[in-house]
Amino acid sequence: MPLNILYMKNLFLLIIFATSTFTYSQIEERKGKLFFKIGSEYRITPLPYDGSKIDQKIPADIDVQNSGVAFHYGFDYFITKNLSFGFNNSFRYDVLIRNVNEIDQENGFQKTDKTLIVGGHLYLDYHVKVFKNSELFARVGPSLLNGGTEYMNKTTFYDNQGNILGSSFSNETLEFFATNIAIGYKRQKVELLVGLYSSSTSNYFDETESLKIPYINITYTIGKMWK
């Protein structure tokens, strides 16, 4: 075997061994450690729901508002080497409301309002090592979705002759709590997660109806917050 090929082969084996040993050591020693992470999430269109239960006064498209790309940062604290407690904040610049009521003429167009939409997520992860340098893990926890979606709602009251009696104003929001359930794969510092946000308390419906939002998440661990 040529010397350069033998050298490359040995170097490759050394890298694999060193990476595996380092990752295995990290798994064994991470109990009591806090890790900082960043990542991105793609929320797929919500699963089918009963459209007849939609509150027609809601000035938003449910599917559009609850799909798309989000970015997040977060922290994981390992209670044991297998069980971790985590928190992250997610951010999206996306649709708030459709301003159809601001179109004065019979036919026309109106720009849709967008805003920074924020999410907060608490979760528990349980890790199971499948190889020396990779793991599977399950996640469960509560999430607050669509933070920052407050808007003003105006309601006008009329008498029997159609005359305006008065108007009332109320502050409304499209944020809601959901249960987050997911399965993930972790190799070294990279995590790939497939999950589902599920809620029966969202403000989109005037009757009880379940809203389920599937997602794919990729996260990179920057490192420990302290030694």
Side-chain angles (χ1 to χ4, degrees):
M1 180 180 294
L3 183 61
N4 59 338
I5 296 178
L6 180 62
Y7 173 78
M8 293 300 296
K9 178 181 178 182
N10 291 337
L11 180 61
F12 177 75
L13 292 174
L14 179 62
I15 292 173
I16 294 296
F17 174 77
T19 302
S20 301
T21 303
F22 173 76
T23 306
Y24 179 76
S25 176
Q26 288 290 94
I27 292 174
E28 293 299 311
E29 297 175 0
R30 63 192 178 189
K31 178 182 177 182
K33 301 294 193 303
L34 181 68
F35 294 85
F36 177 65
K37 306 158 72 173
I38 59 173
S40 179
E41 180 173 288
Y42 181 72
R43 298 178 188 173
I44 307 167
T45 302
L47 300 180
Y49 47 81
D50 188 347
S52 66
K53 296 181 179 180
I54 295 176
D55 185 345
Q56 299 302 317
K57 299 188 296 297
I58 296 294
D61 186 310
I62 299 175
D63 291 350
V64 172
Q65 189 169 76
N66 292 283
S67 60
V69 177
F71 298 95
H72 59 83
Y73 73 91
F75 302 90
D76 276 3
Y77 177 79
F78 278 83
I79 303 168
T80 70
K81 69 178 182 180
N82 294 324
L83 180 65
S84 64
F85 171 77
F87 165 78
N88 76 49
N89 265 138
S90 61
F91 303 90
R92 292 186 297 134
Y93 184 71
D94 219 320
V95 175
L96 173 58
I97 58 173
R98 299 169 297 177
N99 289 325
V100 292
N101 292 334
E102 295 184 8
I103 302 176
D104 296 328
Q105 64 272 28
E106 185 175 345
N107 298 295
F109 302 93
Q110 177 67 41
K111 181 180 178 180
T112 297
D113 274 349
K114 291 190 174 183
T115 191
L116 182 65
I117 301 177
V118 181
H121 313 268
L122 294 173
Y123 53 84
L124 285 173
D125 285 350
Y126 189 80
H127 300 250
V128 177
K129 186 170 61 179
V130 290
F131 299 106
K132 282 189 176 182
N133 60 344
S134 61
E135 303 172 278
L136 295 176
F137 62 96
R139 173 170 297 179
V140 62
S143 293
L144 177 63
L145 303 179
N146 289 354
T149 55
E150 293 80 13
Y151 65 96
M152 183 70 71
N153 183 32
K154 177 183 178 181
T155 302
T156 302
F157 302 95
Y158 301 87
D159 62 18
N160 293 333
Q161 285 73 44
N163 300 312
I164 297 177
L165 296 175
S167 299
S168 68
F169 296 85
S170 61
N171 291 315
E172 307 289 346
T173 181
L174 297 171
E175 72 178 20
F176 60 93
F177 283 97
T179 299
N180 179 14
I181 301 174
I183 296 293
Y185 173 77
K186 181 176 182 179
R187 181 179 174 84
Q188 299 180 31
K189 293 187 175 184
V190 179
E191 299 175 7
L192 180 63
L193 195 68
V194 177
L196 183 75
Y197 297 115
S198 179
S199 175
S200 58
T201 61
S202 66
N203 296 328
Y204 297 111
F205 306 99
D206 54 17
E207 299 180 44
T208 300
E209 176 63 8
S210 180
L211 181 64
K212 294 181 173 64
I213 308 167
Y215 68 86
I216 301 172
N217 187 315
I218 186 167
T219 301
Y220 182 80
T221 300
I222 300 295
K224 290 183 291 187
M225 296 299 294
W226 60 73
K227 299 296 183 181

